[in-house]
Amino acid sequence: MQRTPWRGQLSAGGNFARIVGVLLLLALTMASPVRAVQPDEIMSNPAQEARARNLSRELRCMVCQNQSIDDSSAPLARDLRLLVRERIAEGDSDQQVLDFLVARYGDFVLLKPPFEKSTLPLWLLTPLVLLGGGLALWGYSRRRSKAMKAAADAPPRLSEEEEARLAKLMATEPSTGDPV
């Protein structure tokens, strides 16, 4: 059987499509949210493990700073996860675990810090920036509307051609000059 030139290209294209498909599948797998909790960290009691996971979602990773310790794979986050599980195993309530960690690391360890005097700038920064931006837009629109109104009230400017024509007409027009 004689092979046609396009048949080899079609087969190579099929392999290319398979390779791209596998790479795409790998990329999607790697992009999916992965929990950093290791199998050796998981507690044998499902109720305690659920409490530990809920608490881990409320605590900030000190290395990543914008992830919870449940999502972070940093060594410090692992240490904090183990500490949370240790405190739960000792019988601490959720609030006692949080209080222990706040006493040790400060309010920064919480992903949602409390509304206190020390965290006031953190809570008020966003509303103040939005208010400032709103005031700036309001002032800009007022200045622009005043400028547009002034431009509409002003007599229209003549073009150079019109000014030249007017000057020519005024030069050729006889002046009456007699006061009435």
Side-chain angles (χ1 to χ4, degrees), residues 10-21:
L10 184 62
S11 172
N15 287 338
F16 178 73
R18 277 190 213 109
I19 291 170
V20 168

Side-chain angles (χ1 to χ4, degrees), residues 27-180:
L28 288 173
T29 303
M30 293 174 72
S32 67
V34 177
R35 300 290 177 221
V37 177
Q38 304 298 315
D40 62 332
E41 297 176 30
I42 297 176
M43 301 178 83
S44 58
N45 183 337
Q48 288 181 334
E49 178 61 24
R51 283 181 53 211
R53 294 298 288 266
N54 285 337
L55 284 172
S56 294
R57 288 185 195 103
E58 294 179 31
L59 298 169
R60 180 188 317 275
C61 173
M62 302 301 221
V63 177
C64 308
Q65 295 188 5
N66 220 13
Q67 282 184 324
S68 69
I69 62 171
D70 196 48
D71 297 330
S72 175
S73 59
L76 181 60
R78 175 181 165 81
D79 292 343
L80 286 173
R81 287 192 302 267
L82 290 172
L83 183 60
V84 166
R85 283 166 172 74
E86 178 184 309
R87 302 293 295 189
I88 288 174
E90 289 177 7
D92 286 1
S93 69
D94 291 357
Q95 191 59 48
Q96 287 173 322
V97 172
L98 290 175
D99 290 343
F100 173 78
L101 291 169
V102 167
R104 197 169 193 183
Y105 296 103
D107 285 331
F108 186 72
V109 77
L110 301 174
L111 277 173
K112 295 178 184 173
F115 189 76
E116 295 175 346
K117 186 177 180 181
S118 62
T119 59
L120 199 58
L122 177 69
W123 284 100
L124 295 180
L125 187 62
T126 302
L128 289 175
V129 167
L130 288 174
L131 181 65
L135 288 173
L137 284 173
W138 177 72
Y140 172 75
S141 67
R142 285 199 62 204
R143 281 192 308 269
R144 184 169 178 182
S145 66
K146 284 182 181 178
M148 289 177 67
K149 185 178 180 195
D153 291 345
R157 302 263 331 186
L158 298 177
S159 68
E160 289 181 23
E161 180 181 310
E162 291 170 330
E163 285 183 16
R165 185 171 171 216
L166 180 62
K168 182 179 173 185
L169 285 172
M170 289 177 70
T172 59
E173 189 174 300
S175 82
T176 55
D178 296 328
V180 181

